[in-house]
Every structure is written in structure tokens, then in C-alpha cells.
Amino acid sequence: NAGVTQTPKFQVLKTGQSMTLQCAQDMNHNSMYWYRQDPGMGLRLIYYSASEGTTDKGEVPNGYNVSRLNKREFSLRLESAAPSQTSVYFCASRLGGAGVGETQYFGPGTRLLVL
Amino acid sequence: GENVEQHPSTLSVQEGDSAVIKCTYSDSASNYFPWYKQELGKRPQLIIDIRSNVGEKKDQRIAVTLNKTAKHFSLHITETQPEDSAVYFCADVSNTGKLIFGQGTTLQVKP
């Protein structure tokens, strides 16, 4: 199993450009999450999908949209990138339910620089 | 709202000493508390977790304690080694699975 994968690994954008970050998991997990990590800020939740067909806002959703394409894939879209969106983006997934289903597994991250 | 406070923000110890990181949460409904370790340039990795029906959990040199009454939980690392150097995050998990992270603690273990 590859676990949680993300593409691309690195991206440089100009202000106003759009792009989509891709995330996929092969663990048959029900829930998926997008976080951003800025220096000294820890990880902050952008959007999440508790189950296929549902999405909800997290702490910092402004400027982003998401799509839960199917059970495996959860994409994050920046419609008009801004320098404040320069960050490292992590996707995560969890099975759901009690016990071991609570553990979240993270992808390798996407480093985004907006000029 | 949901909030997790983590202290200290940086911690420097000599190899072989113990390290303790503390977190306080605000959501009384929280019942699952994971700790993640993040090495430079890498993804967060779960190192230990604890559930609200347990007061302490240990895994080799790592232990976590939970005080639900006071709403705080702590990570204890004994006999620290240079490879323990990393950023450590505590988290609070809501019943929808949302992770609310603490601000992180940068641990430096000096040889």
C-alpha cells in the first residue's frame, strides 16, 4: 500500500493563478482532510470530508475549495492564489469509528510558493 | 471554540535526560489525544495516543498521561537520544475527526 499520496511535491505560482492539489489514499479510509502548515503556526485544518459525498469547512477555508471525487481522492483548489497561501499543504485520512479508526495518516506534503 | 495550548515552544535537553511537553485542551467532549512527531521536511507521524478512559499509556521510552478533570495531557520521553530531536505536536480530536493541533514543541537533544 502506498498510503496517502500527494501531487505535486513542489509548485511555484504567480499571484492570481489557479491550481489543484491532488490527494489519494489506498487504505479504504472514509474521512479525508486538508491542512496547511506555516512556520510557528502548527497545522491548521482547511477543509475535511467525513465521508464520501460530504465536505465541511475547517479553521481556515477562505480562498480554497475542495472536491471529494470518490472514496479515494480528495482535491484542494486555489482559484486565485495569493502570497498568503504560501505554505506546506498536507492531506490526511482516517478510517473512522472508534479505536484504531481514529488515527490520521498524513501524506508527504506539497510545498507551494506564491510569488 | 476548540483550542489546544502546548508548552514549551522549544526544549533543549542533554542526551539521556528526560523531556516533558504539556498540552491543555478546551473541549470537554474530547476523548482521543494523539501525539505526532515531525522531522524536518517530513510528514507528521503518530508516535503515541491516549483515550479518555485511560490515565496513562507507555510505549518503551515514550509515555503520555491524561488528566481529564484539569483538561491537560503530557508527553514524557525518557533517556532521550539525538534522533528524538524533532517538532512534537499534541492534538485534540473532535467527534467528527477534526484534529486541532497545538503550536508544536521543537525538541533538541544535545549529544
Side-chain angles (χ1 to χ4, degrees):
Chain A
N1 286 356
V4 182
T5 57
Q6 292 182 235
T7 57
K9 290 184 179 179
F10 304 97
Q11 185 71 48
V12 179
L13 290 178
K14 294 181 179 178
T15 297
Q17 286 185 319
S18 62
M19 78 161 294
T20 300
L21 282 65
Q22 306 286 354
C23 174
Q25 52 87 12
D26 61 1
M27 297 177 282
N28 200 34
H29 283 178
N30 293 301
S31 302
M32 298 184 74
Y33 307 82
W34 276 105
Y35 297 89
R36 61 177 288 174
Q37 185 173 32
D38 304 305
M41 297 290 290
L43 293 97
R44 292 181 292 170
L45 182 65
I46 305 171
Y47 269 95
Y48 69 102
S49 171
S51 61
E52 187 179 358
T54 68
T55 60
D56 283 289
K57 295 178 180 180
E59 300 172 77
V60 289
N62 291 345
Y64 305 95
N65 285 300
V66 291
S67 296
R68 183 77 182 266
L69 304 171
N70 47 55
K71 192 171 186 179
R72 290 187 62 250
E73 299 171 289
F74 189 38
S75 63
L76 179 71
R77 182 159 179 83
L78 288 69
E79 290 291 351
S80 179
S84 60
Q85 294 178 304
T86 293
S87 190
V88 180
Y89 292 84
F90 286 99
C91 178
S93 71
R94 73 166 191 154
L95 178 62
V100 296
E102 292 168 306
T103 301
Q104 286 199 20
Y105 297 89
F106 284 82
T110 294
R111 296 181 181 276
L112 177 64
L113 174 62
V114 183
L115 301 174
Chain B
E2 301 153 331
N3 187 44
V4 178
E5 295 289 333
Q6 182 173 346
H7 299 281
S9 57
T10 60
L11 181 58
S12 182
V13 300
Q14 288 296 134
E15 182 176 0
D17 287 350
S18 295
V20 180
I21 303 169
K22 299 181 179 180
C23 287
T24 303
Y25 63 98
S26 59
D27 186 355
S28 300
S30 299
N31 56 19
Y32 173 65
F33 306 92
W35 284 90
Y36 284 83
K37 175 183 180 182
Q38 187 178 27
E39 297 176 349
L40 190 63
K42 297 192 175 180
R43 74 190 80 186
Q45 300 264 20
L46 180 75
I47 56 172
I48 195 167
D49 55 17
I50 192 167
R51 290 172 177 81
S52 58
N53 58 347
V54 175
E56 182 175 1
K57 183 177 179 181
K58 194 172 183 181
D59 182 3
Q60 299 182 353
R61 296 186 297 108
I62 295 173
V64 56
T65 58
L66 171 65
N67 183 326
K68 280 216 80 177
T69 302
K71 293 184 186 173
H72 64 73
F73 56 111
S74 300
L75 178 71
H76 305 253
I77 306 174
T78 59
E79 301 172 24
T80 53
Q81 301 168 3
E83 52 264 38
D84 294 330
S85 295
V87 180
Y88 291 81
F89 292 97
C90 63
D92 175 17
V93 182
S94 72
N95 57 10
T96 59
K98 291 192 296 181
L99 274 174
I100 306 299
F101 283 88
Q103 296 85 349
T105 296
T106 300
L107 174 64
Q108 181 186 26
V109 180
K110 299 177 181 177

